[in-house]
Amino acid sequence: MLTTRYLPSLRLMVCITALGTSVAVHAGTEKTIDVSLPLGPDSQQGIGVLKFGEELERLSEGRLTIEPHYDNALGAEREVVEGMGFGTIDAGISSTGPMGGFVDEFMLFDLPYVFNDHAHAYAFLDSEYGEQLAQLAEDQMNVKILAWMENGFRHETNSVRPIHEPADLKGINHRTQESRVQVDTWEALGANATPMAWTEVYTALQQGVMDSQENPLATIYDVNFFEVQNYLNLTKHVYSPAPLMMSLDLFNSFSEEDQAIILEAAQLALPVQREASQELEKRYLTQLEEKGMTVTEPDLPAFKAAVQPVIEKWSETVGKDLVDAAVNFSD
């Protein structure tokens, strides 16, 4: 069952009232699955979820459909993950940052410079290690991972100056996800790191409460960060999965036939989502420059050297064998 390391928030209580609890879904029954997304329909997340819905409807001959809820309409990512664990939210796509608060092993994806490129990350996630992490999500979070979709590699933006080396981050107020590893990472790089819920970030940057944030390029474009950030620095410091998940209680309430359909639909959507994510990265890099952002390619070896103490500090908590397997993974 879901741990109580984080308590449900007021917004989760609203979601409980709005969606109710899961009930048994028998074979042949029609069911519309509510799916939460942090971003909009044209984002890398939206493309993947809509493809999942298309395949789900096709394979079930129209019995199973989805209702997407965009832009955190059902709550911030941590609240949605909690809601799925409690069985009050059907399904959702989320970054893994908040999940490390429930399962230590998921902090692997907060560790900097673990994955070199997309192929490295995909091979690891599609291996037995991805299966092991998915099982931990079931056992400790009561959540079923349907597919390891992605947000992509994350990059730093700010409104202060271009970043060429870690010293350039000194004095910059940087927003992190609600992750202890991320706080340590950005402090090691010299920034003043503050965890903040995703729903608050744009306003904090707009008002100057925060100077800096980090996200994949598609996300930076999707939420118009170019309106409040002048500098895009291609730090590529973290690969960010965005697993498509379902309440385990809801998943278990389906017949075996429908469970198989749900899993097949998710796997059919997975390569479409990953390909779209990579294409959007290329497209949005150009468009962000056109929107006026100054793009910098920092000295990545200097960044990697600066964060080595963070990897050493957290390896035991995450699991040294898991960290080593990820860093050194090859087909």
Side-chain angles (χ1 to χ4, degrees):
M1 292 298 293
L2 187 69
T3 66
T4 56
R5 192 180 306 180
Y6 291 122
L7 296 176
S9 66
L10 177 60
R11 185 173 296 197
L12 178 58
M13 294 296 101
V14 173
C15 292
I16 290 172
T17 303
L19 295 178
T21 56
S22 299
V23 294
V25 181
H26 301 291
T29 300
E30 293 186 0
K31 169 68 177 175
T32 298
I33 300 167
D34 289 289
V35 184
S36 172
L37 298 89
L39 301 177
D42 297 327
S43 69
Q44 74 276 36
Q45 298 175 356
I47 290 169
V49 168
L50 291 174
K51 179 62 174 175
F52 167 66
E54 175 187 316
E55 294 294 341
L56 187 66
E57 187 168 357
R58 180 183 66 83
L59 292 168
S60 68
E61 298 180 340
R63 291 186 299 103
L64 303 178
T65 57
I66 68 165
E67 179 67 33
H69 298 267
Y70 300 111
D71 300 317
N72 295 298
L74 300 184
E77 288 179 314
R78 177 172 62 82
E79 296 163 346
V80 168
V81 172
E82 287 177 331
M84 286 187 284
F86 288 119
T88 58
I89 291 179
D90 290 345
I93 193 168
S94 169
S95 63
T96 51
M99 298 170 73
F102 305 114
V103 180
D104 285 344
E105 286 84 351
F106 275 80
M107 288 190 283
L108 171 71
F109 303 110
D110 293 332
L111 291 175
Y113 299 106
V114 169
F115 298 104
N116 299 320
D117 50 34
H118 289 94
H120 182 185
Y122 297 163
F124 177 80
L125 289 169
D126 295 341
S127 74
E128 68 274 18
Y129 293 103
E131 294 175 3
Q132 290 171 15
L133 288 163
Q135 188 62 52
L136 287 171
E138 291 189 30
D139 295 342
Q140 298 185 39
M141 297 168 60
N142 208 39
V143 167
K144 178 75 174 180
I145 291 180
L146 305 178
W148 286 103
M149 294 185 177
E150 74 170 17
N151 280 324
F153 281 94
R154 303 176 77 94
H155 306 281
E156 190 266 353
T157 71
N158 73 77
S159 57
V160 180
R161 54 181 169 263
I163 305 299
H164 298 281
E165 57 187 11
D168 294 328
L169 285 162
K170 186 174 182 180
I172 287 179
N173 294 321
H174 176 79
R175 175 265 174 179
T176 75
Q177 292 177 292
E178 296 170 282
S179 161
R180 295 168 289 163
V181 179
Q182 291 188 26
V183 170
D184 284 352
T185 296
W186 290 97
E187 287 183 346
L189 291 170
N192 302 322
T194 302
M196 178 180 289
W198 172 242
T199 50
E200 302 171 15
V201 177
Y202 185 93
T203 301
L205 294 170
Q206 185 178 45
Q207 296 177 347
V209 176
M210 289 287 121
D211 303 317
S212 166
Q213 66 86 47
E214 49 81 49
N215 260 295
L217 296 177
T219 305
I220 292 167
Y221 189 90
D222 187 78
V223 296
N224 298 331
F225 278 144
F226 53 82
E227 296 175 345
V228 292
Q229 300 274 267
N230 299 323
Y231 303 100
L232 167 60
N233 305 291
L234 301 179
T235 47
K236 199 180 178 182
H237 51 277
V238 160
Y239 173 79
S240 177
L244 175 63
M245 298 172 281
M246 179 176 285
S247 162
L248 186 60
D249 291 342
L250 176 60
F251 182 80
N252 287 339
S253 72
F254 285 99
S255 66
E256 289 186 8
E257 175 189 354
D258 283 352
Q259 288 179 4
I261 286 174
I262 291 166
L263 292 172
E264 183 179 354
Q267 289 306 307
L268 288 170
L270 179 60
V272 174
Q273 195 273 341
R274 286 176 172 176
E275 182 178 355
S277 178
Q278 291 192 50
E279 285 301 315
L280 288 176
E281 279 188 355
K282 297 172 185 175
R283 182 191 312 170
Y284 289 145
L285 179 57
T286 299
Q287 292 183 352
L288 287 166
E289 285 189 281
E290 291 173 350
K291 292 290 186 181
M293 296 193 81
T294 300
V295 178
T296 301
E297 296 189 18
D299 177 8
L300 295 190
F303 277 73
K304 293 177 182 179
V307 298
Q308 282 306 303
V310 179
I311 297 175
E312 293 169 8
K313 174 183 175 179
W314 285 100
S315 283
E316 290 300 326
T317 301
V318 175
K320 192 173 187 307
D321 290 345
L322 181 64
V323 174
D324 290 344
V327 170
N328 300 310
F329 191 85
S330 61
D331 282 330

